[in-house]
């Protein structure tokens, strides 16, 4: 009942003229409500105190605006109240829209029912050969030059804790079961333990990767490590003047950084000028050098490495490993879950289905 009784406050004049000032109009309505309550419900000419304390009644200007404040935080939205003719126009327009839209949704259903399976079979014949599959690298060792502790996380990433010395250098060693390594991917990841969730350890959550190098060697024999020449660096985001390609140049005073995109996952990819790999496995040694400035602790807080054997150029993201593993099997040998994974992934990349949708 109180809500209904206060409904008369909606009867203020509302100016929707193009040249009207919305805030001025809102203040006018607030004054109108204040004065109406004063005159009708209090029996006072409170409006006199809008500009000065009341000359005849015991009401100060301050008290006027204390009363005004009750109405000054109303968040009003214009709500359409369509008439019967408006509703009929909407009904006809909606019916016309639904008829046209049904043609589009029917085309999707028809494609799914009659062509999607064949399209998937055609795609599967070459999908694995053409796909970019990023396989997570499991390091055998990960160390910090200046005393930080690198802790392995459940997702195969590494989190830097403890000492956060100026210009740290991380060295990571791993053995991968691959006779061809064509590109390396570095993910820098947010973490709640980092300032502003990172992905860096600086006081603003940033980092600077000055130089990123990779060496490869066979897992057996006397052949020493050879440096992989990296090229065509790209990332999902780079800070102004701190582009990712500067992490593989010859300058020790620049590098890759990501401010102001802090607290987010970022991805960098570095392609090998010539693919490397050895029979029986390949040992990879990564050096993440962050010595761009001898007065800052712009070290990476959390990171993960992966590799691919795909033909160049490669993309930042790629086919999920579980889908690639399923595609490596004959269709009849896949489990129900693997069949669902392959089908769901194909639906996400099928150009014709995406066009129809």
């Amino acid at each position: 009942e109180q809500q209904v009784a206060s409904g008369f406050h909606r009867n203020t004049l509302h100016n929707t003229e193009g040249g009207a000032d919305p805030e001025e109009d809102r203040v006018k309505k607030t004054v109108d409500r204040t004065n109406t309550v004063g005159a009708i419900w209090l029996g006072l000419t409170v409006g006199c105190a809008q500009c000065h304390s009341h000359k005849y009644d015991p009401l100060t200007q301050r008290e006027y605006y204390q009363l005004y404040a009750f109405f000054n935080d109303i968040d009003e939205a214009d709500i359409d109240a369509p008439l019967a003719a408006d509703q009929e126009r909407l009904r006809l327009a909606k019916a016309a829209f639904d008829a046209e839209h049904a043609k589009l949704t029917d085309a999707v259903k028809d494609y799914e029912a009659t062509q999607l399976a064949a399209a998937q079979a055609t795609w599967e014949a070459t999908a694995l050969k053409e796909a970019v599959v990023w396989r997570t690298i499991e390091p055998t060792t990960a160390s910090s030059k200046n005393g930080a502790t690198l802790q392995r996380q459940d997702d195969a990433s590494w989190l830097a804790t403890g000492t956060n010395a100026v210009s740290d250098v991380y060295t990571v060693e791993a053995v991968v079961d691959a006779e061809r390594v064509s590109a390396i991917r570095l993910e820098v990841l947010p973490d709640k333990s980092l300032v502003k969730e990172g992905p860096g350890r600086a006081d603003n959550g940033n980092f600077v990767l000055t130089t990123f190098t990779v060496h490869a060697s066979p897992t057996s024999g006397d052949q020493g490590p050879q440096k992989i020449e990296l090229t065509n660096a790209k990332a999902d985001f780079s800070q102004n003047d701190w582009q990712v390609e500067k992490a593989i140049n010859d300058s020790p005073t620049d590098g890759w950084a990501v401010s102001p995109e802090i607290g987010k996952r970022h991805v960098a990819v570095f392609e090998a000028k010539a693919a490397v790999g050895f029979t029986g496995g390949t040992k990879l040694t990564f050096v993440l050098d962050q010595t761009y400035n001898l007065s800052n602790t712009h070290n990476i807080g959390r990171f993960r490495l992966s590799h691919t054997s795909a033909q160049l150029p490669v993309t930042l993201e790629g086919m999920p490993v579980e889908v690639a593993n399923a595609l490596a099997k004959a269709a009849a040998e896949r489990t129900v879950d693997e069949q669902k994974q392959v089908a769901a992934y194909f639906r996400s990349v099928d150009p014709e289905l995406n066009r129809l949708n």
Side-chain angles (χ1 to χ4, degrees), residues 267-281:
V267 186
V269 164
F270 306 90
E271 296 179 354
K273 193 168 186 179
V276 297
F278 303 94
T279 302

Side-chain angles (χ1 to χ4, degrees), residues 64 90 112 140 167 210 223 252 267 299 328 334 341:
Y64 175 85
L90 175 62
E112 290 175 330
T140 53
S167 301
T210 311
Q223 182 175 336
V267 186
N299 304 310
R334 296 172 195 158
Q341 289 172 342

Side-chain angles (χ1 to χ4, degrees), residues 294-352:
L294 298 180
S295 63
N296 286 283
T297 55
H298 278 58
N299 304 310
I300 295 174
R302 185 178 176 186
F303 66 94
R304 179 169 54 210
L305 292 161
S306 52
H307 71 92
T308 186
S309 301
Q311 297 297 320
L312 303 181
V314 295
T315 54
L316 297 179
E317 309 295 346
M319 177 185 291
V321 172
E322 58 270 18
V323 175
N325 292 340
L327 285 172
K329 299 180 181 181
E333 297 176 358
R334 296 172 195 158
T335 66
V336 174
D337 283 344
E338 288 174 333
Q339 293 171 9
K340 291 180 179 178
Q341 289 172 342
V342 171
Y345 180 73
F346 176 68
R347 291 178 67 92
S348 72
V349 298
D350 179 21
E352 180 62 12

